[in-house]
Amino acid sequence: MLYRTDYHVHTTYSDGKSEPEAYIEAALRLGFREIGFSDHLNPSGGDLSWCMDHRKLPAYVEHILALKKKHKDIAVRLGLEVDYLPGMEKVTHEIISAAPFDYIIGSVHYMGEESVDLGPEFYIGKDIELIYENYFNLVCEAASTGLFDIMGHPDLVRIHRFRPDADISHLYSMMASAFEIHEVAFEINTNGRNKPLHDFYPDGQYMHIFAGHGVPVCVNSDAHFPERIGQYFGEAYDLLKRAGYREMAVFSGRERFMIPI
């Protein structure tokens, strides 16, 4: 039986819609072996409508650690999804060093002061090719910091279906090379299916590039509702196998282990 995990889950500590217990119940019904919580946290504070208030972090950690002890039928993992903000590396390190996290997801939501995912307005009237180049460079820069174990939705810039006319395969090659060099994993994020993109992150046509570089991967739902745990995972596993993947990454205590798909 496939050893299924879901490490990208959001609760009411950030912008999720349910308490952690509801996600665990959903994962148990689906036969998952591990579930990891990774509520949004912005090192600078961010928009509290979708980011965790830093004052809630100790309660979040205590809550998830208690669930770890309580559940013997599923491995509960403590994580965070942390925004990569250039110049905030020291603050980020202090945050993630303050608790016994199992993994940290690094995500690029912001380019400068603007978020790439909240609306199409960010893209209208701009040079889309330049936006993509700058975004992919930021993701590679984030991977190079050593702060993160998993890079979340690594081509989130696709979310509103703006795409350069030019071939961008070199950007995926650059990203895969950076992940390989800096020994960071990435996720297939199935929540892109629920967004205007209607597709996974990253773009499946480039998955073979990551496989060719031997970059570790996991499949995550980015669930904000319990019913989205494990959503579209069968398709995601099939995509990985077609690309040449035979293993996926699991995490404990900031250590990565590989298990068969």
Side-chain angles (χ1 to χ4, degrees):
M1 184 177 179
L2 184 65
Y3 189 100
R4 293 199 292 172
T5 67
D6 192 347
Y7 288 144
H8 197 152
V9 174
H10 298 287
T11 75
T12 50
Y13 282 99
S14 59
D15 61 342
K17 306 307 178 186
S18 294
E19 297 290 331
E21 288 81 355
Y23 295 91
I24 293 174
E25 291 174 8
L28 285 169
R29 286 195 299 271
L30 292 168
F32 273 61
R33 304 294 294 277
E34 300 187 23
I35 183 169
F37 294 96
S38 52
D39 275 294
H40 288 291
L41 190 139
N42 184 308
S44 67
D47 183 345
L48 297 185
S49 68
W50 64 280
C51 294
M52 186 190 300
D53 186 328
H54 285 210
R55 293 171 295 184
K56 293 183 178 180
L57 184 57
Y60 167 75
V61 170
E62 183 179 355
H63 193 164
I64 305 306
L65 291 179
L67 292 172
K68 270 178 171 280
K69 292 180 180 179
K70 176 181 177 180
H71 286 277
K72 307 303 180 185
D73 43 2
I74 187 170
V76 176
R77 303 300 186 196
L78 173 64
L80 279 178
E81 180 185 12
V82 181
D83 284 303
Y84 173 64
L85 302 176
M88 296 290 289
E89 292 86 354
K90 182 179 179 180
V91 173
T92 300
H93 181 265
E94 290 172 353
I95 291 168
I96 65 178
S97 299
F101 292 104
D102 290 303
Y103 62 90
I104 302 293
I105 297 175
S107 294
V108 175
H109 291 101
Y110 290 95
M111 296 181 70
E113 298 297 319
E114 296 183 272
S115 170
V116 303
D117 58 326
L118 292 186
E121 298 79 14
F122 174 80
Y123 301 87
I124 295 172
K126 296 179 182 176
D127 184 334
I128 303 302
E129 186 171 353
L130 181 61
I131 288 176
Y132 267 63
E133 288 177 359
N134 290 339
Y135 185 85
F136 276 67
N137 280 327
L138 274 174
V139 174
C140 292
E141 187 178 305
S144 75
T145 64
L147 293 168
F148 309 117
D149 304 295
I150 305 168
M151 296 309 302
H153 40 63
D155 57 359
L156 179 66
V157 71
R158 295 167 56 230
I159 187 171
H160 292 291
R161 304 181 68 87
F162 289 85
R163 185 181 177 89
D165 293 327
D167 177 27
I168 56 172
S169 57
H170 66 288
L171 295 179
Y172 286 90
S173 294
M174 176 183 72
M175 182 184 285
S177 180
F179 292 177
E180 177 187 17
I181 291 168
H182 299 292
E183 298 184 337
V184 64
F186 74 105
E187 65 176 9
I188 291 186
N189 183 309
T190 64
N191 196 39
R193 284 284 184 87
N194 301 310
K195 302 297 183 179
L197 179 64
H198 301 304
D199 195 10
F200 297 158
Y201 311 108
D203 192 329
Q205 68 177 306
Y206 303 111
M207 198 62 61
H208 67 283
I209 296 176
F210 295 94
H213 281 267
V215 183
V217 66
C218 50
V219 177
N220 291 331
S221 68
D222 201 349
H224 291 67
F225 308 87
E227 55 267 30
R228 289 185 176 171
I229 292 290
Q231 191 178 39
Y232 307 119
F233 274 30
E235 292 178 51
Y237 291 130
D238 288 344
L239 174 61
L240 286 178
K241 290 176 182 177
R242 291 197 303 271
Y245 276 98
R246 298 295 178 263
E247 294 181 314
M248 67 178 187
V250 295
F251 294 86
S252 179
R254 304 293 307 273
E255 289 191 56
R256 184 176 68 223
F257 307 90
M258 302 303 296
I259 61 170
I261 295 177

